C-alpha cells in the first residue's frame, strides 16, 4: 500500500512537472527561451492590378484566356473602334480647316501690308497735288487783287486747292483704315492660332481614345479569371480581368512583443503550406509605420468602456531571396509560416538593396 502511495506521488509530481515545463515552453520562458520568433499570420503578397477599359463600347475581341501568361504590351481585349476612328478623321478634318484659315490670315496680312504701301503712295501723290494747287492759288491771288487776271481764274484756283486738300485728307484716312485693317488681321491671327492649337489637341485626344480601344497588359505577368466576353458592352472602369506580375514578397504580422531585436536585413526562413512546408529564405525589407489596427476601417477606441490589453500586430515586409526553387509558383495570398532569428546579424547587402 505504501508502495502504490509512493508511485501515485511520483506520477502526480511527474504530471505537475510536465505541466510546468509545457507552460514554460508555450510561453518561451527559461529554459525554453529562444531568439527565434515565429508567426503563422503571414502571407505571400504581389501587385495585383485590375485591368479595366477607359472607354465604353462593345467588346470586339478577347485575345486571352483565364490564368494565361502575358508579356508587357500584349493585347488583352479590343473595343469596337469604328466610332473612335471616325472621330479621329473628324478631328483631323477640323484641324485642316483651322490651318487653312490660318494660312488665309497670312495671305490677308500680306494684302493689308500691300494696301498700306499703296495708300502711303496715294498720300504722297495727294500731298504733291495739294502743294501744286496751293502754289497756284498763291500766285493767282495777288494778280486777281490787282486786276491782272479775271476773277474766274481765282475761283478755279481756289476750288482746285480745296479739292486737293480734301483728296489729301481722304488719302490719309484711307491709309489709317488700311493700318487698322492690318491690326485686325494680326489680332484675328492670334485667335486662329489658338483655334489650330485647340484642333490639334482634339486630334490628340481622339487618337488617345482610339488607342485606348486596345486594352494592353501594363507589364508581364499572369492573368486571373477573364470576365469579359465577346460582344459584351462595357463601361469605363468595368473590371475585365486581373494581372499578377511575376514579383512577390511576404508580409508577416508579428506581435509587438516579438519585435525586440528585429532589424532590416536580418535573414528569414519561411515555410510554404502549399508546397508541403517547403522552406524558403528571405530578408526583412522594412517595417510598417503603424500597427494593423491603425489601418483598419473601424479603428478601436480604447478610451471607452472596460479595457483589456491586446498585443497588437505589426506588418513586416520580407524580400524573397532570388534563385530558389518554386519561386515562379509563389502566388499572392498563399499562407506561410515565418521564422526570424533576432540574434542574427543583418545582411549589409540586403540593407543596401531595400
Amino acid at each position: 500500500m505504501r508502495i502504490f502511495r509512493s508511485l501515485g506521488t511520483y506520477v502526480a509530481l511527474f504530471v505537475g512537472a510536465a505541466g510546468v515545463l509545457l507552460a514554460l515552453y508555450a510561453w518561451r520562458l527559461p529554459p525554453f527561451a529562444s531568439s527565434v520568433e515565429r508567426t503563422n499570420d503571414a502571407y505571400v503578397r504581389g501587385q495585383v492590378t485590375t485591368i479595366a477599359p477607359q472607354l465604353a463600347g462593345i467588346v470586339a475581341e478577347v485575345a486571352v484566356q483565364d490564368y494565361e501568361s502575358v508579356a508587357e504590351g500584349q493585347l488583352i481585349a479590343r473595343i469596337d473602334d469604328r466610332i473612335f476612328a471616325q472621330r479621329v478623321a473628324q478631328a483631323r478634318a477640323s484641324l485642316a480647316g483651322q490651318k487653312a484659315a490660318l494660312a488665309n490670315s497670312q495671305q490677308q496680312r500680306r494684302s493689308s501690308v500691300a494696301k498700306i504701301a499703296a495708300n502711303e503712295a496715294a498720300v504722297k501723290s495727294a500731298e504733291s497735288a495739294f502743294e501744286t494747287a496751293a502754289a497756284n492759288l498763291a500766285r493767282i491771288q495777288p494778280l486777281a487783287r490787282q486786276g491782272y487776271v479775271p476773277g474766274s481764274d481765282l475761283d478755279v484756283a481756289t476750288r482746285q486747292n480745296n479739292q486737293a486738300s480734301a483728296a489729301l485728307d481722304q488719302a490719309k484716312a484711307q491709309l489709317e483704315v488700311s493700318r487698322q485693317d492690318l491690326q485686325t488681321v494680326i489680332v484675328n491671327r492670334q485667335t486662329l492660332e489658338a483655334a489650330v492649337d485647340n484642333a490639334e489637341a482634339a486630334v490628340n485626344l481622339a487618337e488617345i481614345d482610339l488607342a485606348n480601344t486596345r486594352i494592353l497588359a501594363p507589364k508581364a505577368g499572369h492573368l486571373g479569371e477573364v470576365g469579359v466576353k465577346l460582344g459584351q458592352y462595357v463601361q469605363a472602369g468595368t473590371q475585365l480581368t486581373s494581372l499578377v506580375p511575376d514579383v512577390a514578397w511576404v508580409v508577416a504580422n508579428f506581435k509587438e512583443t516579438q519585435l525586440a531585436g528585429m532589424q532590416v536585413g536580418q535573414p528569414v526562413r519561411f515555410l510554404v503550406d502549399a508546397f508541403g512546408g517547403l522552406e524558403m529564405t528571405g530578408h526583412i525589407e522594412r517595417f510598417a509605420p503603424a500597427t494593423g489596427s491603425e489601418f483598419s476601417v473601424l479603428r478601436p477606441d480604447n478610451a471607452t468602456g472596460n479595457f483589456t490589453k491586446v498585443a497588437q500586430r505589426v506588418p513586416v515586409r520580407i524580400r524573397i531571396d532570388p534563385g530558389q526553387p518554386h519561386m515562379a509558383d509563389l502566388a499572392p495570398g498563399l499562407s506561410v509560416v515565418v521564422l526570424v532569428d533576432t540574434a542574427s546579424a543583418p545582411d549589409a547587402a540586403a540593407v543596401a538593396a531595400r
Side-chain angles (χ1 to χ4, degrees):
M1 190 70 178
R2 200 176 281 178
I3 296 175
F4 290 107
R5 185 179 300 170
S6 298
L7 182 60
T9 301
Y10 291 142
V11 172
L13 291 174
F14 176 77
V15 172
V20 171
L21 292 175
L22 183 61
L24 293 174
Y25 176 79
W27 289 92
R28 294 292 189 270
L29 297 174
F32 301 104
S34 173
S35 62
V36 177
E37 297 295 346
R38 174 191 181 103
T39 182
N40 59 1
D41 187 358
Y43 307 91
V44 179
R45 290 286 184 257
Q47 296 175 339
V48 181
T49 302
T50 299
I51 305 298
Q54 299 185 44
L55 306 169
I58 300 294
V59 176
E61 180 183 359
V62 180
V64 293
Q65 298 179 353
D66 297 344
Y67 318 131
E68 182 178 336
S69 176
V70 295
E72 182 177 351
Q74 182 175 335
L75 178 67
I76 294 177
R78 181 175 61 84
I79 296 175
D80 186 0
D81 61 359
R82 291 175 297 175
I83 294 177
F84 300 99
Q86 291 303 311
R87 288 177 180 173
V88 170
Q90 184 180 33
R92 288 175 177 170
S94 177
L95 175 60
Q98 295 297 340
K99 286 183 175 180
L102 182 61
N104 184 55
S105 173
Q106 183 65 24
Q107 181 61 33
Q108 289 178 347
R109 180 170 183 171
R110 288 193 290 266
S111 176
S112 297
V113 171
K115 287 181 179 179
I116 289 175
N119 288 328
E120 286 176 346
V123 167
K124 291 180 180 179
S125 175
E127 287 176 346
S128 177
F130 174 70
E131 290 174 357
T132 300
N136 186 42
L137 178 62
R139 286 194 300 271
I140 292 177
Q141 280 180 336
L143 296 175
R145 285 196 296 269
Q146 295 175 9
Y148 293 113
V149 295
S152 59
D153 291 345
L154 178 62
D155 294 338
V156 170
T158 302
R159 287 195 300 271
Q160 289 176 345
N161 181 73
N162 294 338
Q163 290 175 353
S165 176
L168 177 60
D169 292 340
Q170 184 179 10
K172 290 180 178 180
Q174 290 292 336
L175 176 61
E176 183 61 24
V177 169
S178 62
R179 287 173 176 171
Q180 293 301 321
D181 288 342
L182 176 60
Q183 189 62 31
T184 301
V185 170
I186 294 174
V187 173
N188 287 339
R189 180 176 177 82
Q190 296 175 352
T191 302
L192 293 173
E193 288 175 346
V196 169
D197 293 340
N198 183 68
E200 289 178 344
V203 170
N204 292 334
L205 288 174
E207 290 176 343
I208 290 173
D209 285 343
L210 179 61
N212 285 337
T213 59
R214 294 172 53 85
I215 297 96
L216 308 177
K219 58 179 64 177
H222 291 80
L223 298 178
E225 182 178 355
V226 179
V228 63
K229 301 295 184 290
L230 184 66
Q232 178 181 347
Y233 182 83
V234 295
Q235 296 280 359
T238 300
Q239 181 174 349
L240 307 182
T241 184
S242 296
L243 175 66
V244 183
D246 298 328
V247 177
W249 61 91
V250 171
V251 173
N253 301 299
F254 284 99
K255 293 181 181 179
E256 55 187 325
T257 55
Q258 297 177 287
L259 296 179
M262 285 192 189
Q263 303 177 57
V264 172
Q266 281 181 329
V268 175
R269 294 182 294 120
F270 61 92
L271 311 176
V272 185
D273 295 351
F275 303 156
L278 174 68
E279 181 175 309
M280 303 182 73
T281 61
H283 288 81
I284 294 179
E285 192 171 26
R286 61 179 67 97
F287 296 87
T291 63
S293 61
E294 291 297 309
F295 295 108
S296 63
V297 177
L298 300 176
R299 294 171 54 188
D301 187 357
N302 296 329
T304 61
N306 296 326
F307 171 72
T308 301
K309 185 175 181 179
V310 178
Q312 300 297 309
R313 291 186 179 269
V314 177
V316 179
R317 177 171 170 137
I318 298 168
R319 181 176 58 84
I320 302 173
D321 293 338
Q324 301 182 71
H326 299 285
M327 281 282 293
D329 299 326
L330 283 175
L334 292 180
S335 299
V336 297
V337 178
V338 175
L339 300 96
V340 179
D341 187 355
T342 57
S344 60
D347 187 343
V351 173
R354 65 172 179 160

